[in-house]
Amino acid sequence: MKKLENYVVTIPNFPEEGVMFRDVTSILESAEGLKLSIHELMLRLKDVEFETIAGAESRGFIFGMPLAYNKGKNFIPVRKAGKLPRETVKAEYELEYGTAAIEIHKDSIKPGQRVVFVDDLLATGGTAEAAIKLIESLGGIVVKALFLMELKGLNGREKLKGYDVDCVISYEGK
C-alpha cells in the first residue's frame, strides 16, 4: 500500500501564482486512498478520550463521519451560517478577502462534553478557531483538533495554540 501523500495531486500556481494546491479530492477518488486516510486519522484518536466529533462543512463531514461511526460516537455538523434548522450559535472569522460565519445547533454540545474537531485542512486556522470557540461557548471541551493535511506556511497552528493539534500530512509552504 502506498503512503497517503502518494494519493494527493498537487496543482502548481492554483488558485494563484506561487501556490501549490494540494487536492484532497484525489484521495477520495481512490478507494485505497480513502481507506488509508480514515485509517491514519483513526490512529491519531487511539488514546483520546472523547464523547463526540464535530466536523466543519463540508470536508470535515467527509472525514469526521467515518471516525464517529468507527468510534461509536455522535457527530456534530459545523455548518455555514443559515443552513441549520434549529436554534444556533454563530461565530464569524476572517478570510483572506472578507469574513465568513459558521454555526452549530445550540443544543448539540453539552457542558463538559469532550469534543474532537475534524477538518480536511489546516491552513490559516480561521475555521478551526471559530469552530472551537463555538464548541467552548456551549461548555464543550476541545480535546483534539485533527486534520488530514496542514499547510505549515500559513501558520494555522498559531491560532490553535494551547490545543492538541494533529495532522496526517504536513506540507511546508502554502
Side-chain angles (χ1 to χ4, degrees), residues 24-115:
V24 72
T25 63
S26 58
I27 293 171
L28 301 174
E29 292 168 350
S30 164
E32 285 182 3
L34 177 58
K35 184 175 181 178
L36 184 56
S37 68
I38 300 305
H39 174 77
E40 289 293 331
L41 289 165
M42 286 291 293
L43 288 176
R44 284 152 176 82
L45 293 177
K46 183 180 174 213
D47 296 320
V48 180
E49 292 183 33
F50 65 98
E51 287 81 44
T52 191
I53 291 179
E57 187 171 352
S58 65
R59 291 176 301 270
F61 295 5
I62 292 169
F63 295 104
M65 283 292 298
L67 300 178
Y69 176 83
N70 287 337
K71 287 290 204 175
K73 308 295 183 180
N74 66 313
F75 180 81
I76 306 296
V78 179
R79 301 237 26 216
K80 294 173 185 168
K83 301 289 185 182
L84 292 170
R86 300 190 316 265
E87 187 177 358
T88 62
V89 292
K90 182 192 316 190
E92 290 190 2
Y93 60 100
E94 297 291 322
L95 297 170
E96 192 173 352
Y97 304 107
T99 61
I102 55 174
E103 297 177 330
I104 59 176
H105 282 130
K106 192 173 185 178
D107 61 355
S108 62
I109 303 288
K110 310 297 183 263
Q113 193 170 32
R114 298 170 59 85
V115 180

Coordinates of all heavy atoms in Angstrom, one line a residue, residues 24-115:
V24 N -7.4 17.4 -2.0 CA -7.9 16.3 -1.2 C -8.8 15.4 -1.9 O -9.0 14.2 -1.6 CB -8.5 16.9 0.1 CG1 -9.9 17.5 -0.2 CG2 -8.7 15.8 1.2
T25 N -9.5 15.9 -3.0 CA -10.4 15.0 -3.7 C -9.7 13.9 -4.4 O -10.3 12.8 -4.7 CB -11.2 15.8 -4.8 OG1 -10.4 16.4 -5.8 CG2 -12.0 16.9 -4.1
S26 N -8.4 14.0 -4.7 CA -7.6 12.9 -5.3 C -7.5 11.7 -4.3 O -7.4 10.6 -4.7 CB -6.3 13.4 -5.8 OG -5.5 14.0 -4.7
I27 N -7.5 12.0 -3.0 CA -7.6 11.0 -2.0 C -8.9 10.3 -2.0 O -9.0 9.0 -2.0 CB -7.3 11.5 -0.6 CG1 -5.8 12.0 -0.5 CG2 -7.5 10.4 0.5 CD1 -5.5 12.8 0.8
L28 N -10.0 11.0 -2.1 CA -11.3 10.5 -2.1 C -11.7 9.7 -3.3 O -12.5 8.7 -3.2 CB -12.4 11.6 -1.9 CG -12.2 12.5 -0.7 CD1 -13.2 13.7 -0.8 CD2 -12.4 11.8 0.6
E29 N -11.0 10.0 -4.4 CA -11.3 9.3 -5.7 C -10.6 7.9 -5.8 O -10.9 7.2 -6.7 CB -10.9 10.2 -6.8 CG -11.8 11.4 -7.0 CD -11.2 12.4 -7.9 OE1 -10.0 12.3 -8.4 OE2 -11.9 13.4 -8.2
S30 N -9.8 7.6 -4.8 CA -9.2 6.3 -4.7 C -9.7 5.5 -3.5 O -9.6 6.0 -2.4 CB -7.7 6.5 -4.6 OG -7.0 5.3 -4.2
A31 N -10.2 4.3 -3.8 CA -10.7 3.5 -2.6 C -9.6 3.3 -1.6 O -9.8 3.4 -0.4 CB -11.2 2.2 -3.2
E32 N -8.4 3.0 -2.1 CA -7.2 2.8 -1.2 C -6.9 4.1 -0.5 O -6.6 4.0 0.7 CB -6.0 2.3 -2.0 CG -6.1 0.8 -2.4 CD -4.8 0.4 -3.1 OE1 -3.9 1.2 -3.2 OE2 -4.8 -0.8 -3.5
G33 N -6.9 5.2 -1.2 CA -6.5 6.5 -0.6 C -7.5 6.8 0.5 O -7.2 7.3 1.6
L34 N -8.8 6.7 0.2 CA -9.9 7.0 1.2 C -9.7 6.1 2.5 O -9.7 6.5 3.6 CB -11.2 6.8 0.6 CG -12.4 7.0 1.5 CD1 -12.4 8.4 2.2 CD2 -13.7 6.8 0.8
K35 N -9.5 4.8 2.2 CA -9.4 3.8 3.3 C -8.1 4.2 4.2 O -8.2 4.2 5.4 CB -9.2 2.4 2.8 CG -9.2 1.4 3.9 CD -9.1 0.0 3.3 CE -9.1 -1.1 4.4 NZ -9.1 -2.4 3.8
L36 N -7.0 4.5 3.5 CA -5.8 4.9 4.2 C -6.0 6.2 5.0 O -5.5 6.3 6.1 CB -4.7 5.0 3.2 CG -3.3 5.3 3.8 CD1 -2.9 4.2 4.9 CD2 -2.2 5.3 2.7
S37 N -6.7 7.2 4.4 CA -6.9 8.4 5.2 C -7.7 8.2 6.4 O -7.3 8.7 7.5 CB -7.6 9.5 4.3 OG -8.9 9.1 4.0
I38 N -8.7 7.4 6.4 CA -9.5 7.1 7.6 C -8.7 6.3 8.6 O -8.7 6.6 9.8 CB -10.9 6.4 7.3 CG1 -11.7 7.3 6.3 CG2 -11.6 6.0 8.5 CD1 -12.0 8.7 6.8
H39 N -8.0 5.4 8.1 CA -7.1 4.6 9.0 C -6.1 5.5 9.7 O -5.9 5.4 10.9 CB -6.3 3.5 8.2 CG -5.3 2.8 8.9 ND1 -5.7 1.8 9.8 CD2 -4.0 2.9 9.0 CE1 -4.6 1.3 10.4 NE2 -3.5 1.9 9.9
E40 N -5.4 6.4 9.0 CA -4.4 7.3 9.6 C -5.1 8.2 10.6 O -4.5 8.5 11.7 CB -3.7 8.1 8.5 CG -2.8 7.2 7.7 CD -1.6 6.7 8.5 OE1 -1.1 7.3 9.4 OE2 -1.1 5.6 8.1
L41 N -6.3 8.7 10.3 CA -7.0 9.6 11.3 C -7.4 8.8 12.5 O -7.2 9.3 13.6 CB -8.2 10.3 10.6 CG -7.8 11.3 9.6 CD1 -9.1 11.6 8.7 CD2 -7.3 12.6 10.2
M42 N -7.8 7.6 12.3 CA -8.2 6.7 13.5 C -7.0 6.5 14.4 O -7.2 6.5 15.6 CB -8.8 5.4 13.0 CG -10.2 5.5 12.4 SD -11.5 5.9 13.6 CE -11.5 4.4 14.6
L43 N -5.9 6.3 13.8 CA -4.7 6.0 14.6 C -4.4 7.2 15.6 O -4.0 7.0 16.7 CB -3.4 5.8 13.8 CG -3.4 4.5 13.0 CD1 -2.1 4.4 12.1 CD2 -3.3 3.3 14.0
R44 N -4.7 8.4 15.1 CA -4.5 9.6 15.9 C -5.5 9.8 17.0 O -5.4 10.7 17.9 CB -4.4 10.8 15.0 CG -3.0 10.8 14.3 CD -3.0 11.5 13.0 NE -1.7 11.6 12.4 CZ -1.1 10.6 11.7 NH1 -1.8 9.4 11.5 NH2 0.1 10.7 11.2
L45 N -6.6 9.0 17.0 CA -7.6 9.0 18.1 C -7.4 7.9 19.1 O -8.2 7.8 20.0 CB -9.0 9.0 17.4 CG -9.4 10.2 16.6 CD1 -10.7 10.1 16.0 CD2 -9.3 11.5 17.5
K46 N -6.4 7.0 18.9 CA -6.3 5.8 19.6 C -6.4 6.0 21.1 O -7.1 5.3 21.8 CB -5.0 5.2 19.3 CG -4.7 3.8 19.9 CD -3.4 3.2 19.5 CE -3.2 2.0 20.4 NZ -1.8 1.8 20.7
D47 N -5.7 7.0 21.7 CA -5.7 7.2 23.1 C -6.4 8.4 23.6 O -6.2 8.9 24.7 CB -4.2 7.2 23.6 CG -3.5 5.9 23.4 OD1 -4.1 4.8 23.6 OD2 -2.3 5.9 22.9
V48 N -7.3 8.9 22.7 CA -8.0 10.2 23.1 C -9.4 9.8 23.7 O -10.1 9.0 23.1 CB -8.2 11.0 21.8 CG1 -8.9 12.3 22.2 CG2 -6.9 11.4 21.2
E49 N -9.6 10.4 24.9 CA -10.9 10.2 25.5 C -11.9 11.3 25.1 O -11.5 12.5 25.3 CB -10.8 10.1 27.0 CG -10.0 8.9 27.5 CD -10.0 8.8 29.0 OE1 -10.9 9.3 29.7 OE2 -9.0 8.3 29.5
F50 N -13.0 11.0 24.5 CA -13.9 12.0 24.0 C -15.3 11.4 23.8 O -15.5 10.2 23.8 CB -13.5 12.6 22.7 CG -13.4 11.7 21.5 CD1 -14.5 11.6 20.6 CD2 -12.4 10.8 21.3 CE1 -14.4 10.7 19.5 CE2 -12.3 9.9 20.2 CZ -13.4 9.9 19.3
E51 N -16.3 12.3 23.8 CA -17.7 11.8 23.6 C -18.3 12.1 22.2 O -19.2 11.4 21.8 CB -18.6 12.5 24.6 CG -18.5 12.1 26.0 CD -17.3 12.7 26.8 OE1 -17.1 13.9 26.7 OE2 -16.6 11.9 27.4
T52 N -17.7 13.1 21.5 CA -18.3 13.5 20.2 C -17.3 14.0 19.3 O -16.2 14.4 19.7 CB -19.4 14.5 20.5 OG1 -20.2 14.7 19.3 CG2 -18.9 15.9 20.9
I53 N -17.6 14.0 18.0 CA -16.8 14.6 17.0 C -17.6 15.7 16.3 O -18.7 15.5 16.0 CB -16.3 13.5 15.9 CG1 -15.4 12.5 16.6 CG2 -15.7 14.2 14.7 CD1 -14.9 11.4 15.7
A54 N -16.9 16.8 16.1 CA -17.5 17.9 15.4 C -16.7 18.1 14.1 O -15.4 18.1 14.2 CB -17.5 19.2 16.2
G55 N -17.4 18.3 13.0 CA -16.7 18.5 11.7 C -17.2 19.7 11.0 O -18.4 19.9 11.0
A56 N -16.2 20.4 10.3 CA -16.6 21.6 9.6 C -17.1 21.2 8.2 O -16.5 20.3 7.5 CB -15.3 22.5 9.5
E57 N -18.1 22.0 7.7 CA -18.6 21.8 6.4 C -17.6 22.1 5.3 O -16.8 23.1 5.5 CB -19.8 22.8 6.2 CG -20.6 22.6 4.9 CD -21.9 23.4 4.9 OE1 -22.3 24.0 5.9 OE2 -22.4 23.4 3.8
S58 N -17.4 21.4 4.3 CA -18.0 20.1 4.1 C -17.1 19.0 4.2 O -17.5 17.8 4.5 CB -18.7 20.2 2.7 OG -17.7 20.3 1.7
R59 N -15.8 19.2 4.0 CA -14.9 18.1 4.0 C -14.6 17.6 5.4 O -14.2 16.4 5.6 CB -13.6 18.4 3.3 CG -13.9 18.6 1.8 CD -12.7 19.0 1.0 NE -12.1 20.3 1.4 CZ -12.5 21.5 0.9 NH1 -13.4 21.5 0.0 NH2 -12.0 22.6 1.4
G60 N -14.9 18.4 6.5 CA -14.8 17.8 7.8 C -15.9 16.8 8.1 O -15.8 15.9 8.9
F61 N -17.0 16.9 7.3 CA -18.1 15.9 7.4 C -17.6 14.6 6.8 O -17.8 13.5 7.3 CB -19.3 16.3 6.5 CG -20.1 17.5 7.0 CD1 -19.6 18.3 8.1 CD2 -21.2 17.9 6.4 CE1 -20.4 19.4 8.5 CE2 -22.0 19.0 6.8 CZ -21.5 19.8 7.8
I62 N -16.9 14.7 5.6 CA -16.4 13.5 4.9 C -15.5 12.7 5.8 O -15.6 11.5 5.8 CB -15.7 13.9 3.6 CG1 -16.7 14.5 2.6 CG2 -15.0 12.8 3.0 CD1 -16.1 15.2 1.4
F63 N -14.6 13.4 6.5 CA -13.6 12.7 7.3 C -14.1 12.4 8.7 O -13.7 11.4 9.4 CB -12.3 13.4 7.3 CG -11.7 13.4 5.9 CD1 -11.7 14.5 5.1 CD2 -11.1 12.2 5.4 CE1 -11.1 14.5 3.8 CE2 -10.6 12.2 4.1 CZ -10.6 13.4 3.3
G64 N -14.9 13.3 9.3 CA -15.4 13.2 10.6 C -16.4 12.1 10.8 O -16.4 11.4 11.8
M65 N -17.3 11.9 9.9 CA -18.4 10.9 10.0 C -17.9 9.5 10.1 O -18.3 8.8 11.0 CB -19.3 11.0 8.8 CG -20.3 12.2 8.9 SD -21.5 12.0 10.2 CE -22.3 10.5 9.7
P66 N -16.9 9.0 9.3 CA -16.5 7.7 9.5 C -15.7 7.5 10.8 O -15.7 6.4 11.4 CB -15.5 7.4 8.3 CG -15.5 8.6 7.5 CD -16.4 9.6 8.1
L67 N -15.1 8.5 11.3 CA -14.4 8.4 12.6 C -15.4 8.3 13.7 O -15.2 7.4 14.5 CB -13.5 9.7 12.8 CG -12.4 10.0 11.8 CD1 -11.7 11.3 12.2 CD2 -11.4 8.8 11.7
A68 N -16.5 9.1 13.6 CA -17.5 9.0 14.6 C -18.2 7.6 14.6 O -18.4 6.9 15.6 CB -18.6 10.0 14.4
Y69 N -18.4 7.1 13.4 CA -19.1 5.8 13.2 C -18.1 4.7 13.8 O -18.6 3.8 14.5 CB -19.3 5.5 11.7 CG -19.9 4.2 11.4 CD1 -21.2 3.9 11.6 CD2 -19.0 3.1 11.0 CE1 -21.7 2.6 11.3 CE2 -19.5 1.9 10.8 CZ -20.9 1.6 10.9 OH -21.4 0.4 10.7
N70 N -16.9 4.7 13.4 CA -15.9 3.7 13.8 C -15.7 3.7 15.3 O -15.5 2.7 15.9 CB -14.6 3.8 13.1 CG -14.6 3.4 11.7 OD1 -15.5 2.6 11.3 ND2 -13.7 3.9 10.9
K71 N -15.8 4.9 16.0 CA -15.6 5.0 17.4 C -16.9 4.9 18.2 O -16.9 4.9 19.4 CB -15.0 6.4 17.7 CG -13.5 6.4 17.3 CD -12.7 5.6 18.2 CE -11.2 6.0 18.3 NZ -10.5 5.2 19.3
G72 N -18.0 4.8 17.5 CA -19.3 4.7 18.2 C -19.7 6.0 18.9 O -20.3 6.0 19.9
K73 N -19.4 7.1 18.3 CA -19.6 8.4 18.8 C -20.6 9.2 17.9 O -20.9 8.8 16.8 CB -18.3 9.3 18.9 CG -17.2 8.6 19.6 CD -17.5 8.3 21.1 CE -16.2 7.7 21.8 NZ -16.5 7.5 23.2
N74 N -21.2 10.2 18.5 CA -22.1 11.1 17.7 C -21.3 12.1 16.9 O -20.1 12.3 17.1 CB -23.2 11.7 18.5 CG -22.6 12.7 19.5 OD1 -21.6 12.5 20.2 ND2 -23.2 13.9 19.5
F75 N -21.9 12.7 15.9 CA -21.3 13.7 15.0 C -22.0 15.0 15.0 O -23.3 15.0 14.9 CB -21.2 13.1 13.6 CG -20.5 14.1 12.7 CD1 -19.1 14.2 12.6 CD2 -21.2 14.9 11.9 CE1 -18.5 15.1 11.8 CE2 -20.6 15.8 11.0 CZ -19.2 15.9 11.0
I76 N -21.3 16.1 15.2 CA -21.9 17.4 15.3 C -21.5 18.2 14.0 O -20.3 18.4 13.8 CB -21.5 18.2 16.5 CG1 -21.8 17.5 17.8 CG2 -22.1 19.6 16.5 CD1 -23.2 17.2 18.1
P77 N -22.4 18.5 13.1 CA -22.0 19.3 11.9 C -21.8 20.8 12.3 O -22.6 21.4 12.9 CB -23.2 19.1 11.0 CG -24.3 18.8 11.8 CD -23.8 18.1 13.1
V78 N -20.7 21.3 11.9 CA -20.4 22.8 12.0 C -20.6 23.3 10.6 O -19.9 23.0 9.6 CB -18.9 23.0 12.4 CG1 -18.7 24.5 12.5 CG2 -18.7 22.3 13.7
R79 N -21.7 24.1 10.4 CA -22.2 24.5 9.1 C -22.0 26.0 8.8 O -21.9 26.8 9.7 CB -23.7 24.1 8.9 CG -24.0 22.7 9.1 CD -24.6 21.9 8.1 NE -24.5 22.3 6.7 CZ -25.5 22.2 5.8 NH1 -26.7 21.8 6.2 NH2 -25.3 22.6 4.6
K80 N -22.1 26.3 7.5 CA -22.1 27.7 7.1 C -23.4 28.3 7.6 O -24.4 27.6 7.8 CB -22.1 27.7 5.5 CG -20.8 27.2 5.0 CD -20.8 27.2 3.5 CE -19.5 26.5 2.9 NZ -19.6 26.2 1.5
A81 N -23.3 29.6 7.9 CA -24.4 30.3 8.5 C -25.7 30.1 7.7 O -25.7 30.2 6.5 CB -24.1 31.7 8.7
G82 N -26.8 29.9 8.4 CA -28.1 29.8 7.7 C -28.5 28.5 7.2 O -29.6 28.3 6.6
K83 N -27.8 27.4 7.5 CA -28.0 26.1 7.0 C -28.7 25.2 8.0 O -29.2 24.1 7.6 CB -26.8 25.4 6.5 CG -26.1 26.2 5.4 CD -26.8 26.2 4.1 CE -26.1 26.8 3.0 NZ -26.8 26.8 1.7
L84 N -28.6 25.5 9.3 CA -29.2 24.6 10.3 C -30.6 25.1 10.7 O -30.8 26.3 10.9 CB -28.2 24.6 11.5 CG -26.9 23.9 11.3 CD1 -26.0 24.1 12.4 CD2 -27.1 22.4 11.0
P85 N -31.5 24.1 10.9 CA -32.9 24.5 11.2 C -33.3 24.9 12.6 O -34.3 25.6 12.8 CB -33.7 23.2 10.8 CG -32.7 22.1 11.1 CD -31.3 22.7 10.8
R86 N -32.5 24.4 13.6 CA -32.9 24.7 15.0 C -32.1 26.0 15.4 O -31.3 26.5 14.7 CB -32.6 23.5 15.9 CG -33.4 22.3 15.5 CD -33.3 21.2 16.5 NE -32.0 20.9 17.1 CZ -31.2 20.0 16.6 NH1 -31.5 19.3 15.6 NH2 -30.0 19.8 17.2
E87 N -32.3 26.3 16.7 CA -31.6 27.5 17.2 C -30.1 27.2 17.2 O -29.6 26.1 17.6 CB -32.1 27.8 18.7 CG -31.5 29.0 19.3 CD -32.0 29.3 20.6 OE1 -32.9 28.6 21.2 OE2 -31.6 30.3 21.2
T88 N -29.3 28.2 16.8 CA -27.9 28.0 16.6 C -27.1 29.1 17.4 O -27.6 30.1 17.9 CB -27.5 28.1 15.1 OG1 -27.8 29.5 14.7 CG2 -28.2 27.1 14.3
V89 N -25.8 28.8 17.5 CA -24.8 29.8 17.9 C -23.9 30.0 16.7 O -23.7 29.1 15.9 CB -24.0 29.4 19.2 CG1 -24.9 29.4 20.4 CG2 -23.3 28.1 19.0
K90 N -23.4 31.3 16.6 CA -22.7 31.6 15.4 C -21.3 32.3 15.8 O -21.2 32.9 16.8 CB -23.4 32.7 14.5 CG -22.8 33.1 13.2 CD -23.3 34.3 12.5 CE -24.8 34.3 12.4 NZ -25.2 35.4 11.4
A91 N -20.3 32.0 14.9 CA -19.0 32.6 15.0 C -18.6 33.2 13.7 O -18.7 32.4 12.7 CB -18.0 31.7 15.6
E92 N -18.1 34.4 13.6 CA -17.6 35.0 12.4 C -16.1 34.9 12.5 O -15.5 34.9 13.6 CB -18.0 36.4 12.2 CG -19.5 36.5 11.9 CD -19.9 37.9 11.5 OE1 -19.1 38.8 11.4 OE2 -21.1 38.1 11.3
Y93 N -15.4 34.8 11.3 CA -14.0 34.7 11.3 C -13.5 35.4 10.0 O -14.3 35.5 9.0 CB -13.5 33.3 11.4 CG -14.0 32.3 10.3 CD1 -13.2 32.0 9.3 CD2 -15.2 31.7 10.4 CE1 -13.6 31.1 8.3 CE2 -15.7 30.8 9.5 CZ -14.9 30.5 8.4 OH -15.3 29.6 7.5
E94 N -12.2 35.7 10.0 CA -11.6 36.4 8.9 C -11.2 35.5 7.8 O -10.6 34.4 8.0 CB -10.4 37.2 9.3 CG -10.7 38.3 10.3 CD -11.5 39.5 9.7 OE1 -11.2 39.8 8.6 OE2 -12.3 40.0 10.4
L95 N -11.5 35.9 6.5 CA -10.9 35.2 5.4 C -9.9 36.1 4.7 O -9.7 37.2 5.2 CB -12.1 34.9 4.4 CG -13.2 34.0 4.8 CD1 -14.3 34.1 3.8 CD2 -12.7 32.6 4.9
E96 N -9.3 35.6 3.7 CA -8.2 36.4 3.0 C -8.8 37.7 2.5 O -8.2 38.8 2.6 CB -7.6 35.6 1.9 CG -6.4 36.3 1.3 CD -5.7 35.4 0.3 OE1 -6.1 34.2 0.2 OE2 -4.7 35.9 -0.3
Y97 N -10.1 37.6 2.0 CA -10.8 38.8 1.4 C -12.2 39.0 2.0 O -13.1 38.8 1.3 CB -10.8 38.7 -0.1 CG -9.5 38.5 -0.7 CD1 -9.2 37.3 -1.3 CD2 -8.6 39.6 -0.8 CE1 -7.9 37.1 -1.9 CE2 -7.4 39.4 -1.4 CZ -7.0 38.2 -2.0 OH -5.8 38.0 -2.6
G98 N -12.3 39.2 3.3 CA -13.6 39.4 3.9 C -13.8 38.5 5.1 O -12.8 38.1 5.8
T99 N -15.0 38.2 5.4 CA -15.4 37.4 6.6 C -16.3 36.3 6.2 O -17.0 36.3 5.1 CB -16.0 38.2 7.7 OG1 -17.2 38.8 7.2 CG2 -15.1 39.3 8.2
A100 N -16.4 35.3 7.0 CA -17.4 34.2 6.9 C -18.0 33.9 8.3 O -17.5 34.4 9.3 CB -16.7 32.9 6.3
A101 N -19.0 33.1 8.3 CA -19.6 32.7 9.6 C -20.0 31.2 9.5 O -20.4 30.7 8.5 CB -20.9 33.6 9.8
I102 N -19.8 30.6 10.7 CA -20.3 29.2 10.8 C -21.2 29.1 12.1 O -21.2 30.0 12.9 CB -19.1 28.2 11.0 CG1 -18.1 28.7 12.1 CG2 -18.3 28.1 9.7 CD1 -17.0 27.7 12.4
E103 N -22.0 28.0 12.1 CA -22.9 27.8 13.2 C -23.0 26.4 13.6 O -22.7 25.5 12.8 CB -24.3 28.2 12.7 CG -24.5 29.7 12.4 CD -25.9 30.0 11.9 OE1 -26.6 29.2 11.3 OE2 -26.3 31.2 12.1
I104 N -23.4 26.1 14.8 CA -23.8 24.8 15.3 C -25.1 25.0 16.1 O -25.4 26.0 16.6 CB -22.7 24.1 16.1 CG1 -22.4 24.9 17.4 CG2 -21.5 23.8 15.3 CD1 -21.4 24.1 18.3
H105 N -25.9 23.9 16.1 CA -27.1 23.9 16.9 C -26.7 24.2 18.4 O -25.8 23.6 18.9 CB -27.8 22.6 16.8 CG -28.6 22.4 15.6 ND1 -28.5 21.3 14.8 CD2 -29.5 23.2 15.0 CE1 -29.3 21.4 13.7 NE2 -29.9 22.6 13.8
K106 N -27.5 25.0 19.0 CA -27.3 25.5 20.4 C -27.3 24.3 21.4 O -26.6 24.3 22.4 CB -28.3 26.5 20.8 CG -28.0 27.2 22.1 CD -28.9 28.4 22.3 CE -28.5 29.2 23.5 NZ -29.4 30.3 23.7
D107 N -28.1 23.3 21.1 CA -28.3 22.1 22.0 C -27.4 20.9 21.6 O -27.5 19.9 22.2 CB -29.7 21.7 22.1 CG -30.3 21.3 20.7 OD1 -29.6 21.4 19.7 OD2 -31.5 20.8 20.7
S108 N -26.5 21.1 20.7 CA -25.7 19.9 20.2 C -24.5 19.6 21.1 O -24.0 18.5 21.1 CB -25.2 20.2 18.8 OG -24.4 21.3 18.7
I109 N -24.0 20.6 21.8 CA -22.9 20.3 22.7 C -23.4 20.5 24.2 O -24.0 21.5 24.5 CB -21.7 21.3 22.5 CG1 -21.3 21.3 21.0 CG2 -20.6 21.1 23.5 CD1 -20.5 20.1 20.7
K110 N -23.0 19.5 25.0 CA -23.4 19.6 26.4 C -22.2 20.1 27.2 O -21.1 19.8 26.9 CB -23.8 18.2 26.9 CG -24.8 17.5 26.1 CD -26.2 18.2 26.0 CE -27.2 17.5 25.2 NZ -27.3 17.9 23.8
P111 N -22.5 20.9 28.3 CA -21.4 21.3 29.2 C -20.5 20.2 29.7 O -21.0 19.1 30.1 CB -22.1 22.0 30.3 CG -23.4 22.5 29.7 CD -23.8 21.4 28.8
G112 N -19.2 20.3 29.5 CA -18.3 19.3 30.0 C -18.0 18.2 28.9 O -17.1 17.4 29.2
Q113 N -18.7 18.2 27.8 CA -18.6 17.2 26.8 C -17.2 17.4 26.1 O -16.8 18.5 25.7 CB -19.7 17.3 25.8 CG -19.8 16.2 24.8 CD -21.1 16.3 24.0 OE1 -21.6 17.4 23.7 NE2 -21.7 15.1 23.7
R114 N -16.5 16.2 26.0 CA -15.2 16.2 25.4 C -15.3 16.0 23.9 O -15.9 15.0 23.4 CB -14.3 15.2 26.0 CG -14.1 15.4 27.5 CD -13.5 14.3 28.2 NE -12.2 13.9 27.7 CZ -11.0 14.5 28.0 NH1 -11.0 15.5 28.9 NH2 -9.9 14.1 27.5
V115 N -14.8 17.0 23.1 CA -15.0 17.0 21.7 C -13.7 17.0 20.9 O -12.7 17.6 21.2 CB -15.8 18.3 21.3 CG1 -16.0 18.4 19.8 CG2 -17.1 18.5 22.1

